[in-house]
Amino acid sequence: MLAVAGCSGGSTGGGTYHPPAGPPKLTIPANSPRVKLAFKFPQRAIPQPPVKKKSSKKVTVRATRSTSRNVKYLSPAVVAGGFVAIKIYQNGQPAFPDQVLTVGMTAGSQIQCFSGYGSFCYNTVPVFAPLGDDEFFVAMYDSQAKLLSITPGIPGASAFPGSLPYPTTVTAQGANVNVQTAGVVNSIFTGSTTPCVGFNSGFAGSFIQFLDADNYAISGQFANPVTFNVSGGWGLYDYGSLQPSPVTVYGGYINELDFEASQDGASGAISASSTTSITMNNSQLFAADKLAFTPNAGTLLVTGLVSGGTPASFNCGNTALMDAKVGTPISIANPVAMGNSDDSSFPAPFVSVVDGAPGGTLVDIVDVSLFDAGVVNATGQFYNAMPAYQVAIPGTPVDSIVSPASANNEIFVLNADGTIVAIDTSGFCSTCVIPNVNATLNSTVTSPTSIGWINNGVDELFVTSGNSPTFEEIDNPIFGPVFVSTNVTGLSFGGGNLMPTAVLNGAYGDPSTNNVFLRAFDPTVMPHNILVECATPSDGCGGLSALPIGAFTGGPQSIGNSTTGGQVLVGSGTSVLSFIETPLTAGGTFLSGVNANRILTTADQSFTAVGNGVFGFFPAGSSTSVGNAFGSLIAINTFQGGE
């Protein structure tokens, strides 16, 4: 609401809309009464960050019209040092010079707002208008003169179409004027940081965010309508109602408009245009029931995997990361290890990256929940990045393993000095509890090389040594650790016995059988590489057995479970060998001609990623890759609930 003073006569101002260079000093016409100007914006007029909902199963979440519509739109960037230009017309012609008022939270602001970015804003200087029937228009800018909202229909401003507002009669006593503004769409966020959208329970959906020039979400009428074209297996929905293509959108509210697909692997092309120049972060969309992540150039390279119907993969491109606590970008400097919590239990699934950064080790915990695309900072500013939480830990990292949500929600990081740092993620994004270090264990292993995990009622960790034939089992590491050491010297592998010269350089626990497998290297026997099985351990192995792998070495993550239950896969140079677990028996060659230094099979056993430097994605029962991704580490999230 504007309270204005009436002035006899009036001089013309600039006719059509044009952005001012900045807020000039307000000139008070002579012989004009000083009248109080008051802006009153409803509390909901300032868009709030969208509420991120969680569910144990994927559901379609939509706002209702009664709860989402806002009466007016005011970008927080206007309040934070911006300014407002008031334009007055009579019969569609300029009738008065433009008046520009600064906006802020301090008493020196010409328009002062209270209660945070709150409900009430008052002017500290007068506003004037010519006597007669006046048409009022308002343009709102940030401190850098970027246009954020405007009254549609300003004569000559075709970019912001609309009809003339109903005139207000201004008398010598002034008048109270209600002026409607609409947000100027500058960019569109499609609901996902890459073209790939998680598919779950027969549905893939991504809510659209319309952003102003300062990346604040616009809620309400648009000054510049947006026209969408959607083709392929995707559609644009408004509160669950499929829209035709093309369709012009004249306004939008948080969680109103979304892109949806009902088929795993669906691909579609999307485009958006407006009366002004706008951008959209994706021009294609792919529905994928799995997302693979590999560190790449400080970010994460994303690959979408499809197991429903015909197996396929999509190169989704890179996603930026941002610290969800403080709203600052995250760059992965030296990725050492990755892991993921990937099951149907709360809290939300995540991907973890252990970063041995020069300034100290950081663990980046990236939320890959379906509802967590994009980051909103404390003031409501939106960023095209995946939300992550950084935890600083001591030590020089070697390897890490994740105890998933169905177990004890821990990330265990093995350091070069034998210490193991445990990070509690039990409240991660279900109650939005920030992960924190809750234990540090002192392993007796020297020169540690890898860490494995199973859950046998309690977490059990297995740490291998790079300078001895001994590995250490740590039972119940958080709530009362029990340390058990096992030496594999003398263990027969069917062609000889392991000698005291053997060292261990890999550990893997099969969660489906609770058998643990270790990779032994002994330079004094042939072949040098031996697979050791520790059967169903609990305070020590239930039995030890071994079989030769070959003459090739392998890394800490060169053992993984097979897409066939009760079998494990082991890298052997340019081959991947299969072993039946009970009893330990050679199962033949799984793959040939593949650099298999790292092996990871998805939780639902539908894909196996094999490689080192370049990963191939092999569907269950197939030796043909459906795609690849560059990277030395990998984690794969399966959308099977909890997102």
Side-chain angles (χ1 to χ4, degrees):
M1 180 179 70
L2 306 181
V4 301
C7 305
S8 59
S11 58
T12 61
T16 60
Y17 157 76
H18 63 281
K25 181 179 180 180
L26 184 65
T27 301
I28 308 299
N31 303 319
S32 298
R34 293 177 177 270
V35 179
K36 183 72 174 178
L37 163 67
F39 287 92
K40 181 178 180 181
F41 297 97
Q43 180 67 35
R44 289 177 52 80
I46 300 174
Q48 302 299 314
V51 176
K52 296 178 178 179
K53 301 179 182 295
K54 302 289 175 186
S55 172
S56 60
K57 293 184 178 180
K58 174 71 176 73
V59 294
T60 304
V61 180
R62 295 189 177 93
T64 61
R65 293 185 184 275
S66 61
T67 61
S68 66
R69 289 192 178 275
N70 296 330
V71 179
K72 298 185 180 76
Y73 169 71
L74 176 66
S75 174
V78 174
V79 182
F83 59 95
V84 172
I86 302 168
K87 306 176 78 69
I88 303 172
Y89 286 71
Q90 288 185 344
N91 296 320
Q93 298 297 317
F96 207 73
D98 291 353
Q99 299 172 76
V100 179
L101 306 178
T102 59
V103 185
M105 305 294 295
T106 64
S109 304
Q110 293 174 333
I111 298 176
Q112 184 180 0
C113 295
F114 299 88
S115 300
Y117 292 140
S119 303
F120 300 97
C121 300
Y122 299 96
N123 73 305
T124 58
V125 296
V127 167
F128 302 89
L131 299 175
D133 294 334
D134 295 345
E135 297 134 4
F136 288 83
F137 299 86
V138 171
M140 297 184 173
Y141 302 84
D142 68 4
S143 60
Q144 304 302 311
K146 291 183 287 188
L147 180 65
L148 304 177
S149 61
I150 195 170
T151 304
I154 294 180
S158 59
F160 309 110
S163 57
L164 289 173
Y166 192 79
T168 299
T169 301
V170 178
T171 68
Q173 286 72 42
N176 292 328
V177 182
N178 290 315
V179 182
Q180 177 74 45
T181 64
V184 177
V185 179
N186 181 71
S187 63
I188 298 171
F189 179 73
T190 62
S192 59
T193 59
T194 74
C196 289
V197 181
F199 184 87
N200 183 3
S201 303
F203 173 86
S206 56
F207 287 114
I208 302 169
Q209 296 277 6
F210 298 90
L211 306 174
D212 65 20
D214 283 293
N215 287 334
Y216 288 100
I218 298 172
S219 187
Q221 180 186 356
F222 300 156
N224 50 332
V226 177
T227 298
F228 286 101
N229 279 277
V230 184
S231 62
W234 286 76
L236 177 68
Y237 287 76
D238 186 348
Y239 289 115
S241 176
L242 177 63
Q243 301 300 297
S245 181
V247 62
T248 299
V249 177
Y250 294 89
Y253 304 92
I254 293 174
N255 291 353
E256 176 183 356
L257 294 158
D258 69 333
F259 296 112
E260 296 183 16
S262 58
Q263 181 66 47
D264 193 8
S267 63
I270 56 175
S271 64
S273 60
S274 181
T275 51
T276 63
S277 177
I278 61 173
T279 61
M280 188 163 63
N281 70 309
N282 291 314
S283 60
Q284 290 180 297
L285 293 176
F286 303 109
D289 57 273
K290 296 165 189 65
L291 295 179
F293 298 88
T294 55
N296 181 270
T299 65
L300 290 178
L301 176 64
V302 184
T303 303
L305 300 177
V306 177
S307 61
T310 302
S313 70
F314 299 113
N315 183 353
C316 311
N318 288 34
T319 181
L321 303 178
M322 181 161 285
D323 193 315
K325 295 179 294 184
V326 295
T328 55
I330 291 174
S331 180
I332 303 170
N334 178 31
V336 174
M338 291 189 73
N340 60 283
S341 178
D342 186 15
D343 56 34
S344 58
S345 304
F346 275 107
F350 62 80
V351 165
S352 60
V353 182
V354 180
D355 186 356
T361 301
L362 298 169
V363 180
D364 302 324
I365 305 170
V366 184
D367 185 354
V368 294
S369 165
L370 288 179
F371 294 107
D372 280 347
V375 179
V376 179
N377 68 9
T379 66
Q381 204 166 15
F382 188 88
Y383 292 93
N384 180 12
M386 291 189 72
Y389 295 82
Q390 281 195 320
V391 180
I393 64 171
T396 301
V398 173
D399 196 12
S400 75
I401 195 72
V402 173
S403 165
S406 59
N408 286 318
N409 304 289
E410 297 284 341
I411 300 172
F412 296 101
V413 180
L414 174 65
N415 285 324
D417 62 359
T419 58
I420 302 170
V421 180
I423 300 173
D424 179 16
T425 66
S426 60
F428 180 60
C429 284
S430 58
T431 57
C432 291
V433 175
I434 297 172
N436 63 283
V437 174
N438 65 328
T440 299
L441 307 169
N442 293 307
S443 167
T444 61
V445 170
T446 58
S447 300
T449 55
S450 66
I451 185 170
W453 167 91
I454 61 170
N455 186 269
N456 191 15
V458 296
D459 284 340
E460 297 182 16
L461 304 178
F462 298 84
V463 182
T464 59
S465 171
N467 64 3
S468 81
T470 299
F471 68 92
E472 187 167 57
E473 174 186 342
I474 307 173
D475 295 343
N476 202 15
I478 301 300
F479 305 104
V482 176
F483 297 83
V484 179
S485 293
T486 300
N487 192 307
V488 298
T489 299
L491 180 64
S492 172
F493 56 84
N497 297 324
L498 287 171
M499 305 300 288
T501 50
V503 297
L504 300 171
N505 61 1
Y508 171 75
D510 186 342
S512 65
T513 62
N514 275 353
N515 294 321
V516 175
F517 298 86
L518 308 116
R519 195 178 184 112
F521 176 79
D522 191 338
T524 63
V525 299
M526 287 295 293
H528 297 316
N529 274 268
I530 309 297
L531 178 66
V532 176
E533 179 180 26
C534 172
T536 58
S538 179
D539 295 341
C541 298
L544 282 171
S545 54
L547 283 177
I549 301 171
F552 300 98
T553 59
Q557 295 179 357
S558 59
I559 308 174
N561 66 312
S562 169
T563 56
T564 302
Q567 296 187 27
V568 291
L569 302 176
V570 183
S572 178
T574 57
S575 298
V576 177
L577 305 180
S578 174
F579 290 85
I580 299 169
E581 297 186 22
T582 306
L584 184 62
T585 309
T589 300
F590 173 70
L591 289 173
S592 297
V594 178
N595 183 353
N597 206 36
R598 296 188 183 275
I599 300 170
L600 177 65
T601 296
T602 57
D604 63 353
Q605 298 186 327
S606 61
F607 274 96
T608 298
V610 176
N612 184 25
V614 178
F615 286 95
F617 299 104
F618 298 87
S622 174
S623 59
T624 302
S625 171
V626 297
N628 56 64
F630 291 94
S632 58
L633 302 169
I634 193 167
I636 304 176
N637 177 262
T638 302
F639 292 104
Q640 54 178 350
E643 286 84 4

